[in-house]
Amino acid sequence: MHKVLGDKRAILVLLGPALLVYSLVMLVPIVWSLFYTVQDGNPITGFTFNGFANFAKFFQDPAAWNAIFFTLKYALILTALQVIVGYLLSLMYVFWLRKGSGIIRTIVFFPVVLPTVAVALLFQRLFEAAPTVGPVNSFLGILGGQNLDWFGTPDASFWVIIAMDLWRSMGFYAVLLYAGLVDIPDELIESARIDGASGWKLIRTIVLPLSLPVLLSSIIFSINGTLKVFDTVVALTNGGPGNATTPLTLYMFRTSFAYGDYGYGSTIALMLTILCLLFTVFIFRSTRRDLTKD
Amino acid sequence: MTTATRRARRLAPAIALIGVGALALSACSGGSGGSGSGSGAGDGEFSYLGQTENTTIITTLETLAGHQCKAAADAAPLTSDDISGTQWDQQLQLLASQDGLSDMQMAAGTPALMSEFIDGGKVLDLSTALDDLGVSDRLVPAAESTVKALYGDGALYALPTEFNIEGFWYNKELLADNGVEVPETWDDLVDAASTLKDAGVQPFATAGKDGWPVTRLVGDYIFRTLGADALQKVADGDAKLTDPEYVAAADAVAELGTAGYFGDAVGSIDYNASMNLFLTGKAAFYYMGSWALANFNDEEQNQIGVDNVGFARFPAVEGGKGSIDEVPANVGIPVMFAEKNYDDESAAWLKCIAEGYGDTALNDSGVVSGFVVDNPPTDLPSTTQAVQEEIANAPSSVLWFEALFTPKATGISQNNGAGLANGSLSGEEFMKLVQAANDEG
């Protein structure tokens, strides 16, 4: 085996096709898109070079700033909720439900396997205000509340998106963090107990530090996923009302494909990439610092 | 030497593998461009792509395929596909940029986008094609000039499969029961809405989710207050939507929204839901184009009765420069032919469509098209008759709010229509957004 992998031609044969596919479907479009950031136009009208006009436009475009603001607000709130709720669930699996957690884990995990569009339709019906009144509004009605147009008010639709995404993804983070918690040796927890640590103190001093690596990877997973949110928003609110729930991804998509401005759309895409990169570097750095501290 | 040959022999399969991979990939990418309904010239079929919401065109084409177009359909059978109207322009741009257009399809909803297609040589010049086929006299002159006006350069690039007027359709019974007269002025309309709402009747059925039924009201109000050339001035840069007299129009519509006249959660109501609200008697007024006659004449959908639907022109605004006689008119979304796919088979279809569409659409679907009608049906429903008279008698017509805007301004305007209709957006905020998008050019 060692001989085979030491042979350059064998490496070429084994890697070649994968590398070719990767370059064709990933690298070429990326370079292509970078090239578009200094162009104006679309495939129908043709392209003209316009220097850094797209970048200047981006920084002066209030809609772009709204989209950045929404993206950050959504990513930070949802990441915090996903990881916290996931962590609480995993603590519940390990310390409270113990061996019997299987069925609960399955139920909480179930929404993860459902298609986004199906979940979005479900939530649209749940929070529907017209033409038929959905269960949530019916329930509010029983409590004496008004028929609230959830998808017509910016704040309400934001929280519906958050609620839907949390419901859809908390099971995944719970299982991810559960795997980290299970890895903590029983004897360590046992000895901490003998030393008199229990409840909150046990979690703070033993469980939390030991599950920090997996916790940090969950945060990286989550922040990168949420910064690039697209499908849930499109399926649930389509960026509305107005552009109140339009993340950068959707703004990019609309600019390129609905408004026919590929150049500016690519610029927005580049900005989103930079944003994701900044966040990942920031979190990676804090990870390294924490690990050396340990 | 021998080692080199051996090496070359060993490398050959690797290179072959990579080559096959590349071929497979390029085959994939080529195929994706023509996926869906796209097809090329001389492929033995005639493909049509339409909006899901519009069933008239495809029904008419299917009928034609069995009659006037039988010969054409035998040579190239009709195949069809549809996409939701809310995504229409977006999908069409993608298809056009990948050369994946069908032989015939509904045109872009935004005239500015159609102009891009025309400049890019994607769309067939129908003036020449119809002349060559000897059927250029099959279009009603008024409809033909409307299509030509939309796209600039004086040639015909789309067929008027509809010729519509827009206005307020009303439920005669609901108005009579509540002692409301058909409104002649905007103030009458607001008073009527107030009376109806007090009586527990929803005044307007409106598809806020689609946006355009709301922004049409803004455009019409502008035409009534500032005259028929008001939006041309905006397009030419001689006026701005943020000027106070333009903002007043958006404010007038926003006031209807704040008062709740569009009903609960208007932003969640789509085209079909709004149609359903009106046709089940839950709302008194319905601003819509005459293409909706097909639904009004369908007894299954129309629970309030065909003869119970009345038509009122968009009311005048007191002191305004425009007149109630300027009826908002359009050709709906006409159909265009892809330049690249135009061949003898498509030409045969084009010829028989030009000859038979007018009669078939009117007789089967009750839709008034821009084609000449040879054999008008004798037993037209009263509402359809009224519309035909209205078209014949209207002294002049106006376009709609976004007709001359850029694709981005059109998108922004329609996305924010719901905000106006539920009162969450003021007229000034709305106009600022749309003007800013228009300024980008």
Side-chain angles (χ1 to χ4, degrees), chain A residues 101-261:
Chain A
S101 72
I103 180 111
I104 305 285
R105 262 184 295 154
T106 313
I107 292 172
V108 176
F109 191 81
F110 184 63
V112 179
V113 297
L114 294 178
T116 312
V117 175
V119 177
L121 285 176
L122 177 77
F123 271 72
Q124 270 178 359
R125 292 285 165 268
L126 271 179
F127 287 89
E128 194 170 25
T132 49
V133 179
V136 173
N137 273 328
S138 302
F139 182 69
L140 288 178
I142 294 170
L143 296 181
Q146 274 196 337
N147 189 14
L148 181 59
D149 184 6
W150 292 89
F151 299 110
T153 26
D155 283 339
S157 38
F158 174 76
W159 288 107
V160 176
I161 299 176
I162 292 282
M164 170 177 136
D165 268 339
L166 184 64
W167 182 73
R168 222 168 60 85
S169 60
M170 63 183 185
F172 173 75
Y173 287 94
V175 167
L176 195 72
L177 291 161
Y178 172 76
L181 289 186
V182 170
D183 269 354
I184 299 174
D186 279 344
E187 47 269 36
L188 213 69
I189 291 171
E190 211 48 52
S191 53
R193 281 221 169 97
I194 293 165
D195 288 344
S198 65
W200 170 235
K201 202 175 177 188
L202 178 77
I203 290 171
R204 195 167 53 91
T205 55
I206 306 291
V207 179
L208 201 58
L210 285 176
S211 55
L212 209 55
V214 68
L215 209 52
L216 282 164
S217 22
S218 314
I219 292 175
I220 293 177
F221 257 141
S222 174
I223 199 93
N224 270 304
T226 49
L227 279 176
K228 289 183 287 192
V229 62
F230 183 78
D231 51 352
T232 47
V233 173
V234 173
L236 191 63
T237 65
N238 198 17
N243 60 356
T245 59
T246 304
L248 267 183
T249 46
L250 180 57
Y251 187 50
M252 167 190 82
F253 178 74
R254 283 215 178 121
T255 304
S256 304
F257 303 119
Y259 310 151
D261 192 347

Side-chain angles (χ1 to χ4, degrees), chain B residues 11 105 107 118 127 270 286 312 341 377 414 437:
Chain B
L11 265 177
Q105 53 257 296
I118 294 166
S127 310
D270 62 13
Y286 186 39
N341 301 349
Q414 297 181 354

